[in-house]
Amino acid sequence: MDSAEFSRDPYPLLAALRARGPVQRIRTGNGRTTWVVTGWAEARAALADARLSKDTARYFADRPSGRNLAPAVSRTMLATDPPEHGRLRKLAMTAFTPAAVARLEPRIREHATELADALAARGSADLMEEFAVPLPIAVISELLGVPESDRAAVRQWSNELFAAADPDTVDRASHSLSDYMTQLIAARRAAPGDDVLSGLIAARDASDRLSAPELLSLAVLLVVAGHETTTHLIGNGMLALLQDDALRARLAAEPALLPAAVEELLRYDAPITVATFRYATEPIDLGGARIAAGDVVLVSPGAANRDPAQFTAPDTVRLDRPSRTDRTDRADRADRAGRPGGHLSFGHGPHHCLGAPLARVEGRIAFEVLLTRFPDMRLTVEREDAPEWRRTRLMRGLARLPVTLGR
């Protein structure tokens, strides 16, 4: 699951695993074993199961490691369990409510339009480098108060964190990003601004202020997670649209369909193929498997989103997609009936993606601007395996997306 072939197209392997059963035990490249959850119902249940802990510090406490990740990267809110997770999440979530995101929409559209203006003067472009990457970075950087002059460095460190690269490179990037955010927090503490980071510095939960390590880890998480997933929502989504002329033309003519398109594109090619680390704190029965206490469990939203037991013709993009009724959870049947949603790309349960409202708006605006501004855009195929996919440990996304822009 860490090969170049898997990076290019993980879905055949995930489908083969799912065909053997929705919960399978596999041996990883380092010789260890782990459980992989590929069925939709089982993945949804696992994501909400309190017996599957994300407390990596607790798990690795008695397991020696040669890694040197910065604590601000290795011990983020993603690596905590309730109630601690809920306390940290509550302090950050005010910036990402639908109402707060709606206020950002005009500025997001300005950024997207400016990037499209720059593209318009050219006959061809790399849509990743010149649109899908800079748009989310600009948005989250403004939200957190990251100066424009520093954004290229932040992007580089973030890329290195997720790269399937030498561990030393990843560790160095974690310290570089942690050191930078430490300096930015100090600058905002000395001169507060109208940004989320300044708000977090002053944030209180009842009478309890965020500790210095908590503030730093939250800032690091927001700046990284705030752009990486959205970049690949835009890139993966545009690739799917560039491969479907009829759908692209329909969305350009009917922008009211774009919210549904965002959900379906998130389902079809999720920015996260396999979710972050979990482990069982007690024995768990899931999908016909008996998971022992201490076993590592990896949930695959990418596989779950293409589970034919949940989605009809899951390997195609359909705006009119009705979800099949869940085999076990009758309470949700009416809510999902006839909707194009039901995907697990933003997770489920306590760790459901905090930035989902922002990512949805950015994706909708990005698709609208590109499809209406460049109706003749076409994918440039330079070789058989083009476009090029990133080799990463977590994200699924393109390294390049070469296009010709047309009129």
Side-chain angles (χ1 to χ4, degrees):
M1 294 175 69
D2 57 357
S3 67
E5 182 180 356
F6 187 81
S7 295
R8 283 193 299 271
D9 186 2
Y11 298 108
L13 175 58
L14 293 173
L17 279 174
R18 191 176 53 240
R20 291 165 47 188
V23 183
Q24 290 291 317
R25 194 166 196 173
I26 66 168
R27 188 172 296 276
T28 62
N30 59 13
R32 297 172 183 168
T33 58
T34 185
W35 293 96
V36 178
V37 183
T38 56
W40 185 91
E42 294 76 15
R44 187 172 184 270
L47 291 170
D49 196 325
R51 297 171 297 176
L52 288 174
S53 173
K54 292 184 63 96
D55 189 345
T56 54
R58 177 182 171 191
Y59 180 82
F60 289 106
D62 57 351
R63 293 172 171 85
S65 171
R67 297 300 300 274
N68 184 32
L69 279 171
V73 172
S74 63
R75 300 174 188 171
T76 68
M77 181 173 66
L78 293 180
T80 60
D81 294 331
E84 189 68 7
H85 173 267
R87 182 180 72 86
L88 297 172
R89 183 183 177 95
K90 180 180 177 182
L91 291 168
M93 69 184 302
T94 55
F96 300 97
T97 64
V101 170
R103 292 193 292 270
L104 296 173
E105 185 164 341
R107 186 59 178 145
I108 297 171
R109 190 172 294 277
E110 282 182 28
H111 281 302
T113 302
E114 289 168 2
L115 291 168
D117 288 343
L119 292 176
R122 307 179 55 186
S124 62
D126 175 1
L127 211 56
M128 296 303 298
E129 183 68 24
E130 299 171 63
F131 192 94
V133 169
L135 176 60
I137 284 183
V139 172
I140 196 64
S141 293
E142 284 194 359
L143 199 60
L144 291 174
V146 177
E148 187 170 358
S149 59
D150 297 339
R151 294 172 191 175
V154 170
R155 175 195 171 189
Q156 178 183 341
W157 297 324
S158 179
N159 280 346
E160 291 174 348
L161 279 179
F162 289 108
D166 176 68
D168 289 342
T169 300
V170 177
D171 291 350
R172 283 195 298 270
S174 75
H175 284 277
S176 296
L177 185 56
S178 178
D179 291 346
Y180 172 76
M181 294 307 295
T182 298
Q183 295 168 12
L184 186 61
I185 289 169
R188 287 292 172 270
R189 181 173 282 116
D194 184 20
D195 55 70
V196 170
L197 189 56
S198 296
L200 287 174
I201 291 170
R204 290 179 179 273
D205 181 16
S207 61
D208 183 23
R209 186 184 295 271
L210 278 167
S211 69
E214 288 172 343
L215 174 60
L216 178 58
S217 69
L218 193 53
V220 168
L221 175 63
L222 292 177
V223 76
V224 173
H227 77 271
E228 283 281 356
T229 51
T230 309
T231 285
H232 298 309
L233 157 60
I234 297 170
N236 297 1
M238 281 304 302
L239 175 60
L241 294 175
L242 287 165
Q243 294 171 331
D244 190 332
D245 292 346
L247 178 58
R248 192 168 66 254
R250 184 183 178 192
L251 290 175
E254 302 179 67
L257 295 174
L258 282 167
V262 169
E263 300 306 314
E264 173 64 354
L265 292 170
L266 279 164
R267 183 206 65 81
Y268 176 73
D269 205 357
I272 296 179
T273 304
V274 180
T276 51
F277 174 99
R278 287 171 166 81
Y279 74 96
T281 58
E282 60 183 84
I284 299 172
D285 292 314
L286 181 66
R290 179 68 168 176
I291 300 171
D295 283 0
V296 173
V297 177
L298 298 178
V299 179
S300 174
N305 288 344
R306 294 197 182 197
D307 185 352
Q310 177 66 17
F311 301 101
T312 304
D315 296 321
T316 61
V317 177
R318 291 177 48 179
L319 296 189
D320 59 345
R321 177 173 303 283
S323 293
R324 290 185 182 180
T325 55
D326 185 8
R327 296 169 298 180
T328 58
D329 194 349
R330 297 183 179 182
D332 283 352
R333 288 184 180 181
D335 180 57
R336 286 198 313 278
R339 299 196 312 137
H343 64 76
L344 298 175
S345 297
F346 289 128
H348 176 66
H351 286 272
H352 182 271
C353 178
L354 188 69
L358 179 60
R360 286 185 164 108
V361 170
E362 289 185 64
R364 171 173 56 80
I365 291 174
F367 296 141
E368 179 184 349
V369 168
L370 290 172
L371 295 178
T372 57
R373 188 70 175 273
F374 305 108
D376 298 319
M377 183 188 294
R378 294 294 182 269
L379 181 66
T380 302
V381 179
E382 299 177 341
R383 58 184 187 276
E384 286 187 5
D385 63 347
E388 180 184 348
W389 292 89
R390 289 177 65 189
R391 289 286 308 278
T392 72
R393 297 175 297 107
L394 180 65
M395 296 293 169
R396 169 162 169 79
L398 293 158
R400 299 172 62 250
L401 183 55
V403 297
T404 54
L405 298 171
R407 291 177 292 124

